[in-house]
Amino acid sequence: MHDSTNAPPIPTLLIRPHPSRTEGPTGYLFRLAEANFMNLRDLAQIGIAYDVEALLQQQLLPHPQLYPELHEQVRYVATLQQGQPGIWNRQYARFCPHCLGEDPRWQLGWEVLHFDTCHKHGVWLIDRCSSCGEHLTWQRDSLLRCNCGADLRQEMPEDAPPASILLGEVLEQILFRQDIRYQHGYPFHGMTIDQVQSLIRYLGAYLDPAASQKPLKIANAGAMVVSWTVSSLAAEMLVFWPEKFHRMLDVIQNTGGEARISLKAVFKDAYQYLYKGGLRGGIYSPVREAFEQWVSHNWKGALAKRNRRLTDTILENVQWIPGKAAADRLGISMARVRYLVRSGQLDGQETISAKGRHFLMVRKDQLARVEEELAGEITLSKAMEILGLGKVRMRRILKLLFPSARRVNDQQHLPWCISSTEVYQLAELGEALPRVYYIEDDEISLADVLQYWQWNADEVVSLVEEVKAGTLVLNRTLIGKTGISRWVFKRKDLIQWRAAMQTDRANWITIPELAEVLGVKQQVAYWLTQNDYIRSHKLGTSKHHGSRVRKVDVDRFLRQHIFGTEIADRIGRSPRKAMLMLKAVSIYPLRGTSIEACRQLVYTRSEALERFIAKHSVGDLTKWHDTVKRRANAWERIIYENGTPVPDPSHFQLEPR
């Protein structure tokens, strides 16, 4: 008698086709059920599942020794089904009609989420019947036909973009545990199919500017109409990694109505998910590295040092820094930084927080170039620090000491730009003199003069010019003071110098006399004094006392300015032609604060103007020399008629530059 317990089980099915290595589990069971005039539910009721043991019992697999590779593949796919149920597309059935026509088996990749293309034929997969318009499901009657009877092999697929085709090829290689032949883009080596799917969902959903609040909860994720938008966006970034990834981060940063100033505010859960969510593992380190690389070079918001997610190297090498840090490095004000941004000289972005606070970020790598451009200029605050002067005093004497000082873009509300060369040259006077901690009783420092003697701006400027000319001698410098405030004089010398300056008539002329000296009409002379190009002083309190100007102020004006008629004489052209030629090279005459315009063109001497004159100068300078001689003679005659000593006419001898 035979023992019936050891007899092999009798197969339930009459027709028993074997699965193929490239066939999907549901597709094979569907083909098996259809061959036996059954459906998937019938197979489940009789205990037939996609499992090595179950298939062996039903004699649906060959002997393991005959085809070990097939047994290994079935066991691997069955393990994926049980251990990773989230990778499968169980709701919709998709296919490539070309592949289905070549081999009527449902391929393994078609059953996996985000497997949206056929890399062999370069087309999108199809999950909807073109005849009836219905989605294909696993509840239909035939594997190769829709419920409406249409042959699926006759469908016409659309061409897929190259990036999506490459991504489909990578998914198939990972799914079949093949060596990845992917030579560029994202490093997929070592990743499993579920890890790649997580990466696709992160890139295609989280980094979509139009994503919802919870983008990973994708409704109908298995439908092609939904899946292709996610996979195609992710494919572009993965194939052109990390350039397209960085570009998408730029889009998100620059998208949105309200200003955002933090990484969490801009990227929302995408930032959290990268460090605390599903991408926190080491396999996703290329994503974090690419993100931190973008933060270093492209992030326009602030980065707090308490941010422990970002390495210290990122914080040190970040290319966008706060405007205040840039202003400190350049030695300029925040208003000047904003002007550089508005004028396009410096890339910057200013945001406003919900509380109304302004945050300006600028490119750090551009500061070196801007620093070179601003090397010859310093701010008013820096000049005050170098010279040791207070703000009020510095504002009063600024244009007198440094006539080349100007407002940024010539706008009244913008900061001052002062020549650093002129400031340092002035501050270095007396550098070789002895330095002392205390001064004698018969001495006084300029710091004490400014504080206690109540000198006006003209007296301070005249003193500085006398020191520069060597007329007033410095004794030594005072330790503890800076710039010109450290100068030490003999008290008696300063008192005598100031008294002589106030009483010497040889140093003062009236406004009409000024017009005669300059060789201009009186309206021009009055315009120059009214607009403070030549400082005038009221002598006495009576209405009969007119205004006077000092010789030193006239001298300063002629050193710093030149009339348009003189330029015309130097270049041998008419005044109008000279004006048009200067305008063509962006050199313009003085403008006053009064409504009435000056009746004669006056220009500020500058390097650009001197280059212009040198370029167009003619050999015959007779007219110009006559002008200089006439001024000297006029001054001599005026002083002589007033019965005062005649000054040296060479005072006005200005040599051609």
Side-chain angles (χ1 to χ4, degrees):
M1 242 181 115
H2 295 287
D3 188 0
S4 60
T5 58
N6 296 326
I10 299 175
T12 305
L13 303 176
L14 295 177
I15 301 175
R16 299 184 294 276
H18 293 170
S20 71
R21 292 180 59 192
T22 61
E23 196 168 12
T26 306
Y28 168 70
L29 293 177
F30 197 115
R31 182 166 65 90
L32 178 64
E34 185 181 5
N36 289 275
F37 301 96
M38 302 172 68
N39 56 38
L40 292 175
R41 185 176 298 176
D42 297 334
L43 293 182
Q45 289 177 351
I46 62 177
I48 297 179
Y50 194 85
D51 180 79
V52 173
E53 287 71 19
L55 296 180
L56 281 174
Q57 290 178 0
Q58 295 293 330
Q59 298 181 8
L60 296 174
L61 283 175
H63 194 276
Q65 294 181 353
L66 295 177
Y67 202 167
E69 295 85 358
L70 178 59
H71 280 259
E72 182 183 356
Q73 176 68 11
V74 171
R75 185 172 285 106
Y76 163 67
V77 174
T79 302
L80 287 180
Q81 271 195 316
Q82 297 174 4
Q84 300 179 14
I87 70 173
W88 303 96
N89 184 6
R90 303 184 185 279
Q91 188 175 3
Y92 300 97
R94 56 178 59 173
F95 65 98
C96 169
H98 301 314
C99 293
L100 206 58
E102 296 170 359
D103 182 9
R105 293 182 177 89
W106 214 263
Q107 295 186 12
L108 174 61
W110 300 348
E111 299 185 22
V112 175
L113 287 171
H114 303 307
F115 195 100
D116 297 336
T117 63
C118 172
H119 68 87
K120 180 179 179 181
H121 298 99
V123 296
W124 290 108
L125 299 184
I126 296 175
D127 67 349
R128 186 189 293 268
C129 176
S130 61
S131 298
C132 65
E134 296 295 328
H135 280 100
L136 295 178
T137 65
W138 295 111
Q139 283 72 44
R140 63 187 188 277
D141 298 329
S142 173
L143 183 69
L144 302 180
R145 291 185 179 275
C146 175
N147 285 332
C148 70
D151 190 342
L152 301 181
R153 292 167 293 186
Q154 301 302 318
E155 293 289 336
M156 298 299 295
E158 296 182 0
D159 292 338
S164 297
I165 295 172
L166 284 174
L167 179 60
E169 184 178 6
V170 170
L171 284 172
E172 183 177 273
Q173 293 169 1
I174 294 175
L175 188 61
F176 284 94
R177 298 176 294 177
Q178 300 173 352
D179 292 335
I180 298 178
R181 298 185 297 273
Y182 192 65
Q183 300 298 328
H184 54 84
Y186 188 86
F188 288 102
H189 300 281
M191 299 187 72
T192 61
I193 188 67
D194 62 316
Q195 291 172 337
V196 177
Q197 287 182 343
S198 297
L199 181 60
I200 291 173
R201 285 193 295 271
Y202 173 77
L203 297 176
Y206 264 134
L207 296 188
D208 183 0
S212 60
Q213 290 294 329
K214 296 181 179 180
L216 288 193
K217 294 186 177 181
I218 306 173
N220 299 320
M224 280 294 300
V225 68
V226 176
S227 181
W228 81 268
T229 60
V230 175
S231 64
S232 60
L233 180 61
E236 285 291 327
M237 286 184 268
L238 292 170
V239 170
F240 302 99
W241 185 268
E243 293 81 7
K244 288 291 183 70
F245 176 62
H246 290 167
R247 190 178 303 175
M248 187 55 61
L249 295 176
D250 287 334
V251 171
I252 296 176
Q253 177 176 226
N254 298 326
T255 302
E258 61 180 17
R260 304 184 178 105
I261 58 174
S262 68
L263 289 171
K264 185 176 180 180
V266 172
F267 298 104
K268 300 179 181 178
D269 292 336
Y271 177 56
Q272 300 282 100
Y273 194 78
L274 191 58
Y275 289 92
K276 287 187 175 181
L279 299 189
R280 65 180 179 273
I283 196 67
Y284 299 109
S285 59
V287 185
R288 287 188 294 276
E289 291 172 1
F291 178 76
E292 292 173 357
Q293 182 183 10
W294 176 86
V295 170
S296 296
H297 294 86
N298 298 84
W299 171 240
K300 299 178 182 179
L303 289 177
K305 292 187 177 181
R306 63 178 178 272
N307 190 334
R308 298 181 180 179
R309 295 173 183 167
L310 303 178
T311 62
D312 294 337
T313 305
I314 299 297
L315 297 175
E316 293 175 1
N317 298 330
V318 64
Q319 291 300 317
W320 287 84
I321 62 174
K324 182 63 171 63
D328 293 341
R329 172 174 168 177
L330 296 174
I332 59 178
S333 65
M334 281 296 295
R336 182 73 184 279
V337 173
R338 287 188 169 90
Y339 168 74
L340 293 175
V341 172
R342 288 196 305 271
S343 61
Q345 301 177 57
L346 184 64
D347 289 342
Q349 176 170 303
E350 189 165 15
T351 57
I352 305 176
S353 68
K355 296 182 179 180
R357 298 178 61 191
H358 291 253
F359 294 89
L360 176 64
M361 304 296 293
V362 299
R363 291 282 301 184
K364 184 173 71 174
D365 55 355
Q366 297 178 351
L367 294 184
R369 173 180 55 80
V370 176
E371 200 168 18
E372 291 180 0
E373 295 175 355
L374 300 178
E377 297 180 346
I378 58 177
T379 62
L380 181 66
S381 300
K382 186 65 176 178
M384 290 162 43
E385 177 185 343
I386 296 172
L387 297 178
L389 298 175
K391 180 182 290 187
V392 175
R393 180 79 65 178
M394 188 66 186
R395 286 183 180 275
R396 289 175 178 173
I397 67 175
L398 176 61
K399 289 295 291 181
L400 298 175
L401 275 181
F402 310 108
S404 62
R406 60 180 180 84
R407 294 275 190 178
V408 176
N409 203 30
D410 294 328
Q411 299 295 322
Q412 291 296 325
H413 61 282
L414 291 179
W416 284 100
C417 299
I418 309 170
S419 170
S420 59
T421 303
E422 295 179 10
V423 173
Y424 282 112
Q425 284 178 350
L426 182 58
E428 291 170 1
L429 288 178
E431 192 70 31
L433 295 176
R435 303 174 62 196
V436 296
Y437 285 98
Y438 303 100
I439 58 177
E440 303 295 337
D441 293 339
D442 62 339
E443 295 177 330
I444 188 169
S445 67
L446 184 55
D448 290 337
V449 170
L450 298 176
Q451 183 175 1
Y452 301 113
W453 284 19
Q454 298 181 352
W455 281 14
N456 57 37
D458 292 300
E459 292 169 330
V460 175
V461 173
S462 298
L463 174 66
V464 172
E465 292 181 344
E466 295 287 349
V467 173
K468 291 168 63 176
T471 307
L472 273 177
V473 180
L474 295 176
N475 291 341
R476 39 194 173 174
T477 58
L478 183 61
I479 297 176
K481 299 296 180 180
T482 59
I484 65 175
S485 66
R486 60 181 178 162
W487 292 351
V488 177
F489 302 89
K490 287 294 184 180
R491 187 184 297 264
K492 180 182 65 175
D493 294 343
L494 279 192
I495 294 175
Q496 292 177 352
W497 172 81
R498 187 188 184 199
M501 184 184 68
Q502 290 182 339
T503 59
D504 187 0
R505 176 63 181 87
N507 292 314
W508 297 87
I509 58 174
T510 64
I511 306 301
E513 291 171 344
L514 171 65
E516 186 177 352
V517 170
L518 298 178
V520 297
K521 294 184 178 181
Q522 291 189 17
Q523 292 92 328
V524 177
Y526 278 108
W527 187 90
L528 292 173
T529 57
Q530 289 169 359
N531 289 278
D532 283 335
Y533 289 112
I534 299 178
R535 186 65 63 88
S536 63
H537 304 266
K538 188 75 172 178
L539 298 183
T541 58
S542 171
K543 63 180 181 179
H544 301 292
H545 290 93
S547 297
R548 301 287 190 272
V549 295
R550 293 184 301 132
K551 179 179 68 175
V552 65
D553 292 324
V554 179
D555 185 20
R556 184 187 304 116
F557 172 81
L558 292 174
R559 288 200 309 269
Q560 299 169 3
H561 301 87
I562 184 172
F563 287 98
T565 54
E566 297 180 53
I567 298 176
D569 293 340
R570 295 278 296 276
I571 66 175
R573 303 295 181 94
S574 67
R576 177 171 178 77
K577 180 62 177 178
M579 177 194 70
L580 296 176
M581 293 173 65
L582 289 168
K583 184 178 180 181
V585 293
S586 301
I587 299 177
Y588 301 96
L590 298 181
R591 297 176 182 177
T593 57
S594 59
I595 299 177
E596 183 181 359
C598 184
R599 297 195 176 188
Q600 188 162 343
L601 299 179
V602 185
Y603 292 86
T604 301
R605 295 183 185 270
S606 63
E607 293 183 2
L609 179 59
E610 297 302 330
R611 287 196 300 268
F612 173 86
I613 295 176
K615 179 180 179 181
H616 298 89
S617 181
V618 295
D620 186 9
L621 300 179
T622 304
K623 290 185 178 181
W624 183 81
H625 285 294
D626 289 343
T627 300
V628 175
K629 186 176 180 180
R630 179 190 49 75
R631 285 178 181 160
N633 293 336
W635 187 277
E636 179 181 353
R637 182 182 54 77
I638 290 171
I639 299 304
Y640 178 77
E641 290 176 352
N642 283 280
T644 52
V646 177
D648 184 3
S650 63
H651 184 75
F652 288 100
Q653 295 289 337
L654 302 180
E655 291 299 328
R657 296 189 181 184

